[in-house]
Amino acid sequence: MKNYFAMPGIVKSMGLVFGDIGTSPIYTFTAIFLLIPPTPQNVMGILSLIIWTLTILVSIEYTYLAMHLGKKGEGGTIVLKEILLPLLKSGNRVAFVSLLAIIGISLFIGDGVITPAISILSAVEGILLVPGLENTPQMILMLIAAIIAISLFAFQKRGSERVAWAFGPVMVIWFSALAIGGVIALCAAPQVLLALNPMVGINYLLSHGLEGFLILSSVILCATGGEALYADMGHLGREPIIRAWYLVFGALAINYLGQGAFLMTHPDAHNILFEMIYSQFAFLYIPFLVLSIAASIIASQAMISGIFSIVYQGLTTRIMPLLRVEYTSPHLRSQIYIDVVNWLLLFAVLMVIAIFHTSNNLTHAYGLAVSGTMAITAVMILWIYVLRGKIVKTVIASGVLIVAMAFLIANFHKIPSGGYWSLLIALIPFAIIMIYVSGQKKLAAALTPIPLEEFIPEFNKVYRSVNRISGTALFFARDFRKLPKYVSRIMFTNNIVYDDNIVISIVRTEQPFGVTWGVTREITPGLSIFEIYLGYMEIVDIGSILKEAEIDEKTIFYGMEDIITTHAIWRVFAAIKRLSPSVVQFYKLPSDKIHGVVSRVDM
């Protein structure tokens, strides 16, 4: 057991993965009991629903079903898509799964905007229990939350690696404080332990009809951040996360039971977690408040890193336009910073704080995107297990899907009261991805590439007849068997031919990790091929690979498109293409050697 719960991996997991779900006790119980009266029957029913929601949607869906599907130990919506696509025969099904994955990514980003806002704001609102600060205006609390958010996002460029070592220990202290507070509160009303029986929750739902069903839209708040267990698996591996979850689940369950016991004995409580801690340890309340703000910052950091990671996967699997990516750690290539994404996220977080004012108002918007992401994940997991013929896991996954869909349907009633904001935010990446993917297809059709077998005879003729330039020229092509038109324009129209001409082809493989390249293959005198195979989650320095392969280039050519269109959607696509860095800028190749060749395209 000592080896099983080896501390370093578990402590690290608590800091990097469990921040979001770990701060849910700050607002979940409070949000639910602002909607319904705190009668003993309601408290017991809600406690049972919370415990079993964590069990079904986190323990079973993510730690048992999803985390055994990771390719080489990583996870996320894109990974599920990459596992599922090779198993499908029909083109329509492939398109449907791709659409599901895009919706899942978009909802994850929509959720990611609300997470920092609700985590930070709910922790800051704990100030209202400090003697003398009870009447602090909400505007001041919003301002404090905004300053914390601005500081957090401004810090991203420096990389979180320098402070990440502290995240784990802080979260260990946080979960310990939650568990201790829960145990002390439990002593006053130990009967709440009967809520561990799932029949208590089922009876609550059956006896409360539609009202009981709709309260699921607030119960889901306890599981927000559960998707991070699977999404962050690539950073830490499956085992440390699963083992840490056992401890985190225990601390969360004890704390929720403690909050239930406290509410039984203090039915007038409003901000339940903070009032419970204040009644137990008034002299330690301010350190606990500071700890809760630190935990909410860590929760927000985990979500920001998760969004950077999922956007990077989108770039490398070519469903998102290229963006400038900076590597913030010389040791951890997974530590990345994407400037545009960072500042757009900050703008959205500040806008959400300004619109909703209080964390309680935010709970009306929160949960819809989370339940959508979990339902999509459940659909994809079930589909994979069905196609693989795993009967037991298929039956379990079917049950999980029914529960996830119930939560999603219950959350639809949040749309008019603020839930539409997370959908509007999610609509932005969804629209960008759909326009970009459709535009790239149309562009590829307009820029018909030249098959290699047609290219070689023409190249041989030009190579022998024109005055060649000494040195080596590199040409970037997605697939060397089909060369882009700009290559023929340079060589055959402009007669620019070097002694050595190498076509560089960067191929993203079906595996998430792994970097391989072969030798430079000469296919005809003066023309060679150099292929680099990268896993679709791999972050690499192409320049150093070229040096290692002893390629000393004089010039690097790449293609650019000048899109002419009157169509509104293609105008948006043209703007996206103009604002995106080229493939050579994305891979940070030396700027003094780069030459872009423009092709005009009418769309």
Side-chain angles (χ1 to χ4, degrees):
M1 285 298 285
K2 189 180 175 188
N3 288 339
Y4 188 76
F5 288 104
M7 288 314 287
I10 288 174
V11 171
K12 214 171 183 182
S13 298
M14 287 189 178
L16 294 176
V17 179
F18 295 105
D20 190 0
I21 201 166
T23 51
S24 298
I26 298 175
Y27 49 80
T28 301
F29 228 62
T30 298
I32 293 169
F33 285 99
L34 283 170
L35 300 172
I36 58 173
T39 62
Q41 187 202 9
N42 284 352
V43 171
M44 293 294 286
I46 294 300
L47 277 175
S48 186
L49 289 173
I50 285 175
I51 301 296
W52 286 96
T53 298
L54 289 172
T55 303
I56 295 168
L57 291 187
V58 184
S59 296
I60 297 176
E61 180 175 357
Y62 285 105
T63 64
Y64 177 63
L65 295 173
M67 291 179 93
H68 288 88
L69 288 174
K71 297 175 81 173
K72 284 197 176 172
E74 75 312 321
T77 309
I78 290 178
V79 172
L80 282 178
K81 177 184 79 115
E82 296 293 325
I83 294 169
L84 189 49
L85 290 184
L87 300 172
L88 299 172
K89 307 280 190 292
S90 147
N92 289 340
R93 288 179 182 178
V94 168
F96 177 68
V97 168
S98 299
L99 180 65
L100 267 188
I102 291 167
I103 294 170
I105 293 162
S106 304
L107 287 173
F108 184 80
I109 293 170
D111 175 34
V113 167
I114 297 178
T115 297
I118 195 169
S119 299
I120 295 169
L121 198 51
S122 59
V124 167
E125 284 169 358
I127 289 171
L128 295 172
L129 290 178
V130 176
L133 299 177
E134 299 93 334
N135 299 317
T136 306
Q138 188 62 31
M139 195 56 74
I140 299 292
L141 300 178
M142 287 165 61
L143 195 61
I144 294 169
I147 290 167
I148 292 171
I150 291 166
S151 307
L152 176 65
F153 281 93
F155 188 75
Q156 293 304 310
K157 192 165 187 176
R158 299 184 185 183
S160 58
E161 191 197 14
R162 294 175 204 180
V163 291
W165 62 269
F167 288 180
V170 168
M171 291 311 293
V172 169
I173 297 167
W174 170 251
F175 286 121
S176 303
L178 289 181
I180 292 164
V183 168
I184 293 169
L186 266 171
C187 297
Q191 68 270 27
V192 297
L193 290 170
L194 295 171
L196 294 173
N197 180 351
M199 288 312 298
V200 175
I202 292 167
N203 289 335
Y204 175 84
L205 289 175
L206 294 175
S207 62
H208 284 76
L210 183 63
E211 179 198 313
F213 178 71
L214 292 178
I215 206 69
L216 291 177
S217 65
S218 294
V219 172
I220 191 68
L221 296 174
C222 73
T224 54
E227 66 278 12
L229 272 75
Y230 185 49
D232 290 340
M233 202 163 76
H235 299 309
L236 297 160
R238 177 193 298 152
E239 292 305 320
I241 293 177
I242 291 177
R243 291 168 192 173
W245 170 243
Y246 296 150
L247 301 174
V248 169
F249 178 74
L252 292 175
I254 290 166
N255 185 263
Y256 282 122
L257 290 166
Q259 287 192 49
F262 180 76
L263 197 56
M264 290 264 208
T265 52
H266 300 78
D268 297 332
H270 294 298
N271 199 335
I272 299 164
L273 175 67
F274 286 119
E275 288 183 35
M276 180 178 92
I277 298 297
Y278 188 75
S279 71
Q280 295 168 350
F281 305 104
F283 66 101
L284 286 176
Y285 180 71
I286 290 177
F288 179 80
L289 177 63
V290 172
L291 180 63
S292 71
I293 292 171
S296 70
I297 290 169
I298 292 168
S300 306
Q301 177 60 55
M303 181 53 84
I304 296 164
S305 298
I307 289 178
F308 285 163
S309 177
I310 208 159
V311 168
Y312 188 81
Q313 288 178 40
L315 305 184
T316 57
T317 51
R318 300 191 176 116
I319 62 168
M320 287 186 185
L322 291 178
L323 299 167
R324 291 185 196 282
V325 177
E326 293 175 36
Y327 311 112
T328 58
S329 165
H331 311 296
L332 284 171
R333 298 296 282 174
S334 60
Q335 291 281 325
I336 56 174
Y337 168 76
I338 304 173
D339 195 66
V340 177
V341 174
N342 187 63
W343 298 117
L344 285 176
L345 271 177
L346 173 61
F347 173 75
V349 167
L350 294 178
M351 187 179 74
V352 163
I353 290 172
I355 289 165
F356 286 94
H357 296 288
T358 69
S359 63
N360 179 47
N361 290 342
L362 266 168
T363 60
H364 299 313
Y366 202 29
L368 182 60
V370 180
S371 54
T373 304
M374 287 180 169
I376 287 169
T377 302
V379 168
M380 293 171 90
I381 288 170
L382 175 60
W383 206 338
I384 291 167
Y385 281 125
V386 167
L387 294 172
R388 286 185 175 177
K390 301 281 177 81
I391 296 167
V392 175
K393 286 185 175 174
T394 297
V395 172
I396 295 169
S398 302
V400 168
L401 177 58
I402 291 166
V403 173
M405 290 305 294
F407 275 101
L408 178 59
I409 294 163
N411 268 280
F412 285 156
H413 92 282
K414 280 188 174 180
I415 293 173
S417 58
Y420 63 88
W421 275 104
S422 61
L423 294 182
L424 282 175
I425 294 161
L427 196 62
I428 296 168
F430 180 78
I432 289 170
I433 292 169
M434 294 304 288
I435 290 169
Y436 181 74
V437 171
S438 307
Q440 286 291 86
K441 278 184 189 166
K442 196 165 174 67
L443 199 58
L447 292 168
T448 40
I450 302 161
L452 187 64
E453 56 272 18
E454 290 178 23
F455 182 87
I456 289 173
E458 193 69 28
F459 173 81
N460 288 337
K461 202 191 303 176
V462 172
Y463 189 74
R464 285 193 294 268
S465 61
V466 302
N467 291 325
R468 299 192 295 270
I469 302 166
S470 63
T472 301
L474 305 185
F475 301 84
F476 276 81
R478 193 169 288 185
D479 180 358
F480 73 86
R481 288 174 291 271
K482 294 175 183 172
L483 293 173
K485 272 188 172 171
Y486 82 88
V487 181
S488 60
R489 272 187 59 198
I490 292 168
M491 293 182 179
F492 308 155
T493 309
N494 299 332
N495 289 342
I496 298 171
V497 182
Y498 282 71
D499 283 339
D500 289 309
N501 303 275
I502 302 175
V503 177
I504 307 286
S505 185
I506 298 171
V507 182
R508 290 284 173 175
T509 66
E510 286 187 3
Q511 295 303 315
F513 296 109
V515 181
T516 55
W517 62 89
V519 292
T520 309
R521 291 188 290 130
E522 188 172 73
I523 50 173
T524 190
L527 183 66
S528 304
I529 304 296
F530 184 73
E531 287 180 289
I532 303 170
Y533 291 90
L534 306 177
Y536 60 83
M537 288 176 72
E538 201 64 74
I539 298 169
V540 292
D541 182 348
I542 297 291
S544 65
I545 290 176
L546 296 175
K547 271 184 195 155
E548 224 171 297
E550 297 179 350
I551 295 173
D552 184 20
E553 74 282 353
K554 193 173 191 178
T555 308
I556 300 169
F557 290 107
Y558 68 96
M560 295 167 66
E561 297 86 21
D562 178 21
I563 297 167
I564 308 296
T565 183
T566 54
H567 194 290
I569 287 177
W570 300 141
R571 278 185 174 176
V572 174
F573 174 66
I576 291 170
K577 290 290 282 183
R578 273 197 305 275
L579 294 169
S580 302
S582 66
V583 67
V584 289
Q585 291 167 324
F586 178 73
Y587 286 115
K588 294 191 169 64
L589 292 162
S591 54
D592 55 328
K593 296 180 179 180
I594 292 172
H595 293 279
V597 181
V598 179
S599 302
R600 180 161 284 191
V601 183
D602 193 6
M603 286 177 75

